[in-house]
Amino acid sequence: MADIRPFRALRYDLGKAGDIADLTCPPYDIISEEQRREYLSRNSRNIIRLELPKEGQNPYEEAARTLEQWQEEGSLRHDMDEGFYLYEEEFFSKVDQGDTRKVRGLVCRVRLEDFENGVVLPHEETLSKAKEDRFQLLSATQCNFSSIYSLYHDENHVTSQRLENLAKSCPPRYEFSDGLVTHRLWVINDPVAIEALRQDFAGRKLYIADGHHRYETGLRYRDALREQGAYLPGSQYIMMTLTDMADPGLTVFPTHRLVRGLGHFDSAALLEACREEFDLLPQPGRRESEEALENFYGEGKHAFALFDGAAWTVLVLKDPVVMEKLLPEKSPAYRLLDVSILHSLVLEKLLGIDKENMASQKNLTYTRSAEEAEASVEKGESQCCFLLNPTRVEEIGQVAQNGEKMPQKSTYFYPKLITGLVMNSLRD
């Protein structure tokens, strides 16, 4: 099953590079150009220069040169000994009425496995444009700058107890806040602890939570080197952060849908067509719509909110049996996802936005912010928006276990893993 390995991480020498809080950043795919410039203004060696390169005629080659330069000057150094890394995020959670949550993960190398082997399982479709970008960066730098986020089952919580004991045994190597999340990192060098953790995962499967594009890129790069007859043992592995699927700190946010550019869009006709399969509940505004969605979520009902610029309406599925008829080839877990219901019964059937259209984001775009979705419609940038409830963690595992993939942008794990604490050089 899962083969995890310790590694000599590439890490910043803070004496030469600066404050770790000014050297790290969120994942590349949620950073705007304005935010990118802001990170670089704090410290010119911020990891964003490597993870999201924009300088030079060939930004990927420029990132490779920058990586080499930082190692030569000592701003980046390999750890002396192989190890695992324990990463913890502490954050404020509205879900818990204002309490804080903590989520922990084990950062390690994981042997790349083809999906058909059933060891590392995806849960979400990917976009080809993003994969090509990541492939070009990996080919040039031969380094994982950010970690893939994966989940695992551990019914007896053996690993979580090991990690708890390790966290208590010494202070973290790093501890800082980015304003929203407090990040902590421990280095695990004890050979006994390393081997115990390796054995924990020997019989487990891993479920990718975030980083599908980077994992598929890792597979592609590994295979490309094999075809060339090139020898690079590090290419057989990829950096991952592994978290217990039952970790109480795991938080999933919904990703809302924005519809735009449809020549035939008629909101009144759309609502009337929805009556066949949904109960329509008018709402006074966005906040009331979100509250209604939360209530239906607690009741286990399938619902989403529609805003067409004039009014808010919550749509509640009348009978889930319709999904069995519509998607007989899919598992019950897949059929009863809110995103499956929305995509199949409304976006495809009623609005004519097929899967290819969705993948190219021609008439469908995404946002995590309900306020942003509402504003986009009010400004006329979008014709309507759909607010969804979050996908449950157990649903993610069920769909992946069945060998199926959710529509893209079905999940948004929060908080994102920060980039720049540890890096995995494939050359080491």
Side-chain angles (χ1 to χ4, degrees):
M1 288 298 193
D3 179 6
I4 73 169
R5 300 290 179 95
F7 67 111
R8 297 193 313 134
L10 195 61
R11 293 194 290 130
Y12 280 109
D13 182 331
L14 303 187
K16 293 190 175 183
D19 190 337
I20 190 65
D22 295 329
L23 295 165
T24 52
C25 70
Y28 74 99
D29 54 352
I30 63 170
I31 295 177
S32 67
E33 180 57 26
E34 181 180 357
Q35 290 170 321
R36 181 181 178 278
R37 291 194 295 267
E38 167 62 22
Y39 284 115
L40 288 174
S41 71
R42 298 181 195 173
N43 191 314
S44 62
R45 293 184 179 87
N46 188 285
I47 190 66
I48 197 67
R49 277 187 65 188
L50 304 178
E51 176 72 343
L52 189 60
K54 295 290 182 71
E55 294 82 8
Q57 290 191 341
N58 187 324
Y60 306 114
E61 293 299 332
E62 185 63 29
R65 284 191 289 271
T66 300
L67 174 61
E68 185 175 353
Q69 176 189 335
W70 288 358
Q71 291 183 79
E72 289 177 351
E73 70 184 26
S75 295
L76 286 176
R77 297 180 185 275
H78 281 287
D79 282 346
M80 294 295 294
D81 300 312
E82 287 188 338
F84 289 141
Y85 301 84
L86 170 56
Y87 177 45
E88 179 181 87
E89 294 175 290
E90 182 174 351
F91 56 100
F92 178 82
S93 173
K94 292 181 181 178
V95 177
D96 299 319
Q97 289 77 46
D99 291 339
T100 58
R101 285 185 170 191
K102 291 181 181 179
V103 61
R104 281 181 179 156
L106 182 69
V107 186
C108 58
R109 273 181 170 175
V110 174
R111 182 181 290 278
L112 285 160
E113 295 277 0
D114 295 325
F115 291 141
E116 54 263 34
N117 294 342
V119 177
V120 178
L121 300 170
H123 80 266
E124 198 171 74
E125 296 288 355
T126 53
L127 304 172
S128 57
K129 183 178 179 181
K131 286 187 285 189
E132 183 59 31
D133 166 63
R134 293 297 93 183
F135 180 76
Q136 294 298 328
L137 182 63
L138 182 59
S139 298
T141 64
Q142 297 183 319
C143 189
N144 303 142
F145 301 117
S146 57
S147 178
I148 292 167
Y149 195 8
S150 294
L151 308 177
Y152 61 88
H153 285 296
D154 180 14
E155 294 180 359
N156 297 319
H157 309 297
V158 173
T159 302
S160 61
Q161 188 57 58
R162 290 194 205 282
L163 298 182
E164 174 72 18
N165 295 338
L166 288 165
K168 288 180 177 179
S169 67
C170 62
R173 188 69 54 93
Y174 301 137
E175 181 171 13
F176 66 97
S177 173
D178 61 16
L180 294 174
V181 181
T182 298
H183 305 272
R184 301 183 181 95
L185 185 83
W186 289 262
V187 180
I188 304 171
N189 292 132
D190 177 49
V192 175
I194 289 173
E195 184 57 29
L197 288 165
R198 286 200 67 219
Q199 292 304 317
D200 283 354
F201 284 90
R204 291 176 182 161
K205 297 182 178 183
L206 304 178
Y207 304 84
I208 299 176
D210 197 5
H212 290 80
H213 296 91
R214 281 167 284 153
Y215 189 84
E216 291 185 27
T217 295
L219 290 172
R220 178 184 171 189
Y221 186 61
R222 178 203 65 184
D223 294 345
L225 290 177
R226 284 178 178 174
E227 291 173 5
Q228 297 166 15
Y231 180 72
L232 186 64
S235 65
Q236 306 295 316
Y237 297 85
I238 199 162
M239 185 168 67
M240 276 194 186
T241 299
L242 310 178
T243 294
D244 189 337
M245 197 172 283
D247 191 309
L250 270 179
T251 302
V252 183
F253 287 160
T255 302
H256 310 302
R257 271 55 178 161
L258 298 166
V259 175
R260 59 183 64 186
L262 290 177
H264 59 277
F265 182 76
D266 183 333
S267 61
L270 173 62
L271 283 168
E272 188 58 36
C274 284
R275 290 186 186 278
E276 181 180 354
E277 305 294 352
F278 298 91
D279 290 321
L280 275 54
L281 308 176
Q283 302 294 321
R286 176 178 54 79
R287 292 186 182 277
E288 292 82 0
S289 298
E290 289 182 288
E291 290 175 4
L293 286 182
E294 187 175 345
N295 291 334
F296 287 123
Y297 186 76
E299 295 172 9
K301 294 184 178 179
H302 305 285
F304 36 84
L306 166 64
F307 179 55
D308 61 5
W312 283 91
T313 307
V314 168
L315 286 67
V316 185
L317 185 66
K318 294 178 181 178
D319 188 353
V321 172
V322 67
M323 293 301 296
E324 185 176 347
K325 299 175 182 177
L326 193 64
L327 300 174
E329 76 284 2
K330 296 292 187 180
S331 70
Y334 182 96
R335 289 196 295 259
L336 295 180
L337 294 168
D338 285 352
V339 289
S340 298
I341 294 167
L342 174 61
H343 281 215
S344 300
L345 287 178
V346 180
L347 299 182
E348 292 187 53
K349 183 179 179 181
L350 301 181
L351 293 179
I353 304 175
D354 60 23
K355 290 180 175 60
E356 183 178 345
N357 188 315
M358 292 178 192
S360 65
Q361 300 188 45
K362 179 181 178 181
N363 297 116
L364 188 69
T365 56
Y366 311 88
T367 178
R368 188 177 63 82
S369 168
E371 295 91 335
E372 184 179 300
E374 181 181 42
S376 179
V377 177
E378 289 178 336
K379 293 175 185 176
E381 298 170 347
S382 300
Q383 292 161 308
C384 71
C385 67
F386 294 91
L387 304 188
L388 289 86
N389 276 317
T391 303
R392 302 176 195 273
V393 175
E394 57 267 27
E395 292 176 324
I396 297 169
Q398 290 167 0
V399 170
Q401 187 68 51
N402 292 326
E404 297 170 317
K405 294 181 182 180
M406 299 178 186
Q408 54 266 54
K409 304 293 184 182
S410 293
T411 57
Y412 187 102
F413 282 84
Y414 181 85
K416 294 286 188 178
L417 305 178
I418 203 164
T419 296
L421 291 182
V422 295
M423 290 155 255
N424 173 39
S425 173
L426 307 189
R427 299 176 187 173
D428 184 58

